[in-house]
Amino acid sequence: MSDVKEMTLADVDQMMALVHYAFQWELSEKNRQRFQMLAENSWNFGSFDDKGQLASQVMATPFSVDLFGDTHLMVGVGFVASYPEYRSQGRIDQIMTQLLATARERGANLSYLAPFSYPFYRRYGYELIFERAVYDVPANQWPDSAKVPGTLRRLDWQEAKPIISELFPKAQRHHQGGVQRDSWWLDFKFPLRKDYQYAIYYDANGNPQGYLVYLLQPGLMTIAEWTWLSGEAFRGLNRFVASHSGSVARIFYEMGYDGKNLQFLTQVPLQDFRVRPEMMARVVDVASFLKDTKKVADLPASLALEIVEDRYAPWNNGLFELQKGEQGVTIAKVATTQLPKVSLTIQRFSQLFMGYLTPETLAFHDLIEVDKKTLKSLKAILPDQKPILEDYF
């Protein structure tokens, strides 16, 4: 019925045709260029019918991500699509099985995706990890900031790109699960996507300290990305945003949400502020992930982690002992254990070790099995911040 294979650039036209059909994706010259660029930098998996026609596909783009100081290889999953006559035939199941196995073989510890359906992707071991804070504000209600000593300049993309490349990784919020961006990804994300404008804030010594990527449309200013390295840079860029209150009716801004919001800056709390769910993620290889997580060294007492029900990455199922010794913590997969045990699914493991939920929350809702003493030991090796992501796959 199905022939699943990793595709080459010779298959790009078929891939693009499927995306055009499935998502009503406009085949403009700019979109064709974007798709070609994405395909060239991705692992592309397809399911073909008995006549060699592409029936279903998944694109998996490898990135390095910084998760609270640990660098992991991550595959961003996108453009999951099937022609309608090939749906409900298990083709995506087969592709995802091969994709996860290939990702593991190539050293990927993590995978992210933007779901069209959260229940659909939970079957593959993914779970909600990232959220977005959404500000949709009448422009005259956007809070202004006091004048700052620096200056702001609007630049074209070629001038702004190296500054954005320099500043993005310097912001602490981009080290909580964020992508370590390559040059091609910046071009794909910004100028090839929309006709964005770029504003850079410089301090009094002429050093760039923040930037704003935004889009102006009739009556609307949309902030696509906002990065600052200091309170001064934030205020300087915010003053620039507020200055648009005379030319647009609304200001729209989404940012990765880590439990904090900007409501405290407003005179009147914003009625249209909300937090929405966004990206899902999963750990691809539990053993490799744990070995690459520095905080595991903080384990105060030995314990075992039991992963259950990981159907599409069966190498994760079973017991992993984390033994505290004089030389540090060793990690080994075992058949049985006498250590205190934490039993959980791959979804809950990912939410814990990526910082989205606490063990207390999961234990309260009976979503992990753990006693109080072991929970305390487990908590010592988990992040104490929530994850943030500004990229989309």
Side-chain angles (χ1 to χ4, degrees), residues 214-264:
Y214 63 101
L215 185 68
L216 287 178
Q217 297 167 296
L220 177 66
M221 180 183 194
T222 300
I223 301 170
E225 187 164 285
W226 186 349
T227 289
W228 57 88
L229 303 188
S230 66
E232 177 190 312
F234 175 87
R235 291 187 292 276
L237 290 164
N238 186 64
R239 188 173 175 83
F240 176 76
V241 173
S243 73
H244 288 78
S245 61
S247 56
V248 299
R250 300 194 71 81
I251 297 172
F252 183 84
Y253 175 39
E254 286 193 347
M255 64 186 298
Y257 180 67
D258 62 351
K260 307 178 185 71
N261 65 67
L262 304 177
Q263 289 275 45
F264 68 95

Side-chain angles (χ1 to χ4, degrees), residues 15 39 82 110 283 290 300 302 312 357 371:
M15 294 165 59
S82 298
L110 295 169
V283 172
L290 289 170
S302 299
Y312 289 87
L357 290 175
D371 61 50

Side-chain angles (χ1 to χ4, degrees), residues 120-313:
F120 178 82
Y121 285 106
R122 282 195 181 104
R123 66 193 290 182
Y124 302 116
Y126 292 83
E127 190 48 86
L128 175 64
I129 299 292
F130 299 103
E131 295 175 323
R132 302 286 280 174
V134 183
Y135 302 87
D136 187 359
V137 184
N140 60 9
Q141 292 182 21
W142 190 270
D144 202 350
S145 294
K147 189 175 181 180
V148 289
T151 58
L152 189 138
R153 291 178 57 200
R154 289 185 297 111
L155 305 179
D156 64 26
W157 173 243
Q158 293 306 319
E159 294 173 307
K161 181 179 178 180
I163 300 172
I164 290 173
S165 298
E166 174 192 349
L167 296 185
F168 182 86
K170 290 183 177 180
Q172 179 55 43
R173 60 183 280 104
H174 302 319
H175 295 263
Q176 296 175 215
V179 170
Q180 297 176 332
R181 295 167 169 175
D182 291 330
S183 178
W184 76 268
W185 180 251
L186 280 173
D187 290 327
F188 177 88
K189 181 178 177 67
F190 293 127
L192 289 177
R193 184 165 181 241
K194 292 184 179 179
D195 293 326
Y196 291 119
Q197 299 194 50
Y198 309 93
I200 311 295
Y201 178 81
Y202 298 85
D203 65 19
N205 295 319
N207 299 310
Q209 294 292 307
Y211 67 84
L212 196 73
V213 181
Y214 63 101
L215 185 68
L216 287 178
Q217 297 167 296
L220 177 66
M221 180 183 194
T222 300
I223 301 170
E225 187 164 285
W226 186 349
T227 289
W228 57 88
L229 303 188
S230 66
E232 177 190 312
F234 175 87
R235 291 187 292 276
L237 290 164
N238 186 64
R239 188 173 175 83
F240 176 76
V241 173
S243 73
H244 288 78
S245 61
S247 56
V248 299
R250 300 194 71 81
I251 297 172
F252 183 84
Y253 175 39
E254 286 193 347
M255 64 186 298
Y257 180 67
D258 62 351
K260 307 178 185 71
N261 65 67
L262 304 177
Q263 289 275 45
F264 68 95
L265 294 175
T266 63
Q267 292 293 327
V268 178
L270 304 173
Q271 295 298 314
D272 292 326
F273 168 78
R274 63 188 177 92
V275 176
R276 70 170 180 85
E278 193 183 48
M279 303 280 279
M280 303 178 83
R282 64 158 293 151
V283 172
V284 172
D285 188 325
V286 167
S288 179
F289 177 87
L290 289 170
K291 289 173 183 176
D292 288 346
T293 300
K294 299 183 189 71
K295 200 169 174 60
V296 168
D298 296 335
L299 185 71
S302 299
L303 58 80
L305 298 170
E306 182 182 34
I307 308 298
V308 298
E309 300 176 9
D310 196 352
R311 175 183 171 189
Y312 289 87

Side-chain angles (χ1 to χ4, degrees), residues 7 11-28 31-36 38-39 42 44-46 53-60 77-84 87 92 188:
M7 296 183 284
D11 300 300
V12 167
D13 287 344
Q14 281 201 78
M15 294 165 59
M16 200 179 308
L18 175 50
V19 167
H20 171 63
Y21 186 96
F23 301 107
Q24 293 82 53
W25 209 56
E26 180 188 359
L27 294 181
S28 64
N31 274 350
R32 287 178 183 275
Q33 188 177 347
R34 289 183 80 231
F35 192 88
Q36 180 76 28
L38 185 64
S42 298
N44 307 303
F45 297 89
Q53 170 67 40
L54 179 62
S56 303
Q57 72 173 24
V58 179
M59 301 179 75
V77 173
F79 285 126
V80 180
S82 298
Y83 284 111
R87 291 172 186 159
I92 298 299
F188 177 88

